[in-house]
Amino acid sequence: MSVRKFHPANRLGAMIKQKGGMLVQNAIAAAEAGVESLREASLKSLDDTLTEMEARFGLKADRSDAAFEDLYALCLRIVDVAGFASETGVDKAIMSFCNLVDNCAEAGTWRWDSVDVHLDALRLLRSVGAQLPPADRANMLEGLYRVSGFRPGES
Amino acid sequence: MGDVLQPSTRINLEKAVVLVLDDNGASLDILSQVVSGFGVKQLYRAESVKDAQALVKTKTFDLVISDVQMPEVDGVEFIQWLRREASEPNRYIPVILVTGHTRKPDVLRIRDAGANFTVAKPITPKVLLERIYWVAREERAFIECPTFVGPDRRFKHEGPPPGTDGRRRDDLPAEVGDAQEPNMSQEEINNLMRPAKVQVS
């Protein structure tokens, strides 16, 4: 098997060192300010997606032909904006939900009780997660992890 | 790689041409805001691999930041296309993949996609800038072979254990060389640990 090993020109490396530009602390502050301007729209997107999840995959939905990929895609849509709700625990709960749906897809069978637990937890955390005592929030997340088999730090 | 990015370090990305690719508009907005905050003036956005490929065919980029999970064609397939079929110099540009949650079957696909780094969502400006700084200072060789195209996946050079497949000529030897100086005497070791009186004024 032929292997070519070489060092292509790194134009980014050359330009990042050029005179001018900005301090790292200012770059991060500017980026954070820009992201903050998206908070309201992002949280609306999170809420809309959660509502869609409940409508299509919740207890009252017709789940007879539910597709793993559809729910997984909705989970990822929440992950994308979950950084804005990190004080509630939604960012962690949604990773647990991703893991659960991935496990269901791999096994080819739904675990609806576990799906319902995650949907309820997401709704609760989104509503009052920030006001919960940290220990209670941690216990709640730990319970979700046990249901989904999620190991924080591994995904 | 792995250098800590200091707040007082100066960076210049004003002339960098950057492509960000994400099928979720909200996520694309976040990525775009972060990259713009870093001082990038020429930022191109794509919401599908098809759009991204069209841009890569007509413009020269300095950095690509791409989501992994996308419908139809995903970020892994895009990077594989970029590394194998795009024209130079775009074929060799630094790539950072961002992923919300990595499914089990995707772990090896992402590793072998040919990206320089993978970053977990939700994105934070600090982490993304650190990775951009790392790829700008990339020292790994670029590898082209029938099964992989991209920066060397190895960061270290120990290689697999001797006697197993996959060792390279430039991997470090397993044997540790002879000591170059005599061992310390017991007295010298004791002296290192002996309590000493100190004067407190």
Side-chain angles (χ1 to χ4, degrees), chain B residues 19-23 45-57 66-82:
Chain B
L19 170 64
V20 289
L21 165 61
D22 197 315
D23 67 302
R45 296 160 50 110
E47 291 195 39
S48 71
V49 168
K50 193 177 170 187
D51 292 347
Q53 287 173 325
L55 285 165
V56 167
K57 286 173 184 168
S66 172
D67 185 25
V68 172
Q69 294 91 356
M70 288 181 278
E72 296 168 18
V73 185
D74 68 11
V76 169
E77 291 168 282
F78 171 61
I79 302 311
Q80 288 170 339
W81 171 86
L82 180 80

Side-chain angles (χ1 to χ4, degrees), chain A residues 74-118:
Chain A
L74 291 173
C75 286
L76 291 179
R77 219 192 283 172
I78 290 186
V79 172
D80 284 345
V81 293
F84 290 102
S86 57
E87 76 285 359
T88 65
V90 164
D91 58 332
K92 296 180 176 68
I94 194 63
M95 295 302 287
S96 177
F97 203 6
C98 284
N99 211 61
L100 172 69
V101 180
D102 188 25
N103 286 342
C104 288
E106 201 179 12
T109 181
W110 284 103
R111 289 163 51 199
W112 287 118
D113 287 351
S114 303
V115 170
D116 293 337
V117 163
H118 277 80

Side-chain angles (χ1 to χ4, degrees), chain B residues 7-176:
Chain B
S8 57
T9 301
R10 188 166 279 279
I11 55 156
N12 191 343
L13 293 169
E14 286 171 4
K15 292 181 184 163
V17 185
V18 179
L19 170 64
V20 289
L21 165 61
D22 197 315
D23 67 302
N24 180 7
S27 183
L28 187 59
D29 287 344
I30 292 170
L31 270 175
S32 302
Q33 283 288 355
V34 171
V35 174
S36 298
F38 296 160
V40 172
K41 307 287 185 213
Q42 296 183 71
L43 174 67
Y44 291 86
R45 296 160 50 110
E47 291 195 39
S48 71
V49 168
K50 193 177 170 187
D51 292 347
Q53 287 173 325
L55 285 165
V56 167
K57 286 173 184 168
T58 56
K59 300 193 181 307
T60 299
F61 289 98
D62 300 303
L63 174 67
V64 170
I65 302 172
S66 172
D67 185 25
V68 172
Q69 294 91 356
M70 288 181 278
E72 296 168 18
V73 185
D74 68 11
V76 169
E77 291 168 282
F78 171 61
I79 302 311
Q80 288 170 339
W81 171 86
L82 180 80
R83 295 300 193 213
R84 288 169 171 80
E85 295 182 40
S87 304
E88 294 183 21
N90 278 344
R91 181 185 291 211
Y92 305 125
I93 49 176
V95 173
I96 296 173
L97 281 174
V98 289
T99 176
H101 173 267
T102 305
R103 305 180 78 164
K104 292 182 193 77
D106 284 341
V107 173
L108 295 182
R109 285 183 71 233
I110 291 173
R111 186 199 68 178
D112 297 339
N116 295 65
F117 285 104
T118 303
V119 180
K121 290 181 181 179
I123 290 292
T124 65
K126 183 175 181 297
V127 169
L128 190 60
L129 185 57
E130 193 172 65
R131 298 306 184 273
I132 292 173
Y133 187 67
W134 288 0
V135 297
R137 294 159 58 94
E138 184 68 85
E139 291 179 349
R140 285 177 294 167
F142 206 88
I143 306 287
E144 275 186 344
C145 68
T147 54
F148 176 77
V149 183
D152 194 341
R153 286 164 291 185
R154 290 187 194 172
F155 285 93
K156 296 180 179 177
H157 296 284
E158 283 87 354
T164 59
D165 289 340
R167 278 188 69 81
R168 298 178 185 166
R169 270 174 299 177
D170 52 358
D171 282 340
L172 293 170
E175 303 80 24
V176 179

